[in-house]
Amino acid sequence: MVAELATRRLRLSTFGPSDAADLHVLFSDPRTHTIGGGPFTSIGQTGRWLARRDQVRADLGFVWYGVRLNGTLIGNCGVFPGRTGAVEPEIGYLIHWPFQGRGFAGEAVGALLGECRRAGIGRVWATIRERNAASRRIVERHGMSLIRTELEDLLFYALKF
């Protein structure tokens, strides 16, 4: 996968070590980082997250991008080894809460899925909590279909290219 993508409004580029502080602002905000264990409490957590993404890129070629608007980091979007038990990657994305509701996540996901297709990835997954209607609309708008539900809360979407 390429190191940089561009959309009409956004620039998506791989993270570097100097991005940790800006990314930590997003990850430590409880209104923005609502998945997993919730907001990060230390910059060390953000650094370890970045290191894992770097290792996945080195091992598998999957890329995680910083999403920037006019040079400001407003989110992230990328692919990682999926939780589905398959070799196929899973997509993920996060937009800082002050920038939500403006179509930035959908724009970034569209660019990411286009790059997945170009890179020859045959199918991608998305795991979304049932209550996250905005995220469900984004993946459905980009052609992903609901495949299964687990634990009455997790919805698994897939897109085959």
Side-chain angles (χ1 to χ4, degrees):
M1 297 178 72
V2 298
E4 191 165 312
L5 302 170
T7 70
R8 183 176 61 81
R9 300 180 294 173
L10 304 172
R11 185 174 67 85
L12 287 70
S13 58
T14 56
F15 284 107
S18 63
D19 292 315
D22 289 340
L23 183 59
H24 187 66
V25 170
L26 280 64
F27 280 169
S28 64
D29 186 326
R31 294 169 290 185
T32 300
H33 196 199
T34 60
I35 61 169
F40 286 3
T41 57
S42 75
I43 192 131
Q45 288 175 285
T46 301
R48 288 187 295 278
W49 185 93
L50 285 167
R52 284 192 306 274
R53 296 313 182 271
D54 284 345
Q55 191 61 55
V56 166
R57 183 174 185 207
D59 293 347
L60 301 172
F62 297 160
V63 176
W64 204 274
Y65 299 99
V67 177
R68 292 174 174 80
L69 174 67
N70 300 320
T72 300
L73 183 69
I74 65 164
N76 64 62
C77 182
V79 290
F80 58 96
R83 292 175 260 198
T84 63
V87 177
E88 301 153 331
E90 184 170 340
I91 66 167
Y93 45 91
L94 174 142
I95 299 292
H96 196 198
W97 74 268
F99 298 94
Q100 292 175 1
R102 300 186 206 174
F104 295 130
E107 198 170 321
V109 166
L112 175 65
L113 291 175
E115 176 57 14
C116 289
R117 183 179 293 112
R118 189 210 60 77
I121 296 172
R123 184 162 78 164
V124 294
W125 291 87
T127 305
I128 301 172
R129 287 187 176 83
E130 187 172 20
R131 67 185 175 277
N132 191 342
S135 198
R136 290 178 15 223
R137 282 190 304 272
I138 289 168
V139 299
E140 289 169 357
R141 192 175 320 120
H142 287 287
M144 297 187 85
S145 300
L146 180 63
I147 301 297
R148 69 178 192 266
T149 302
E150 285 185 11
L151 306 172
E152 299 177 17
D153 183 42
L154 294 179
L155 306 176
F156 289 83
Y157 287 80
L159 177 63
K160 186 174 183 176
F161 299 114

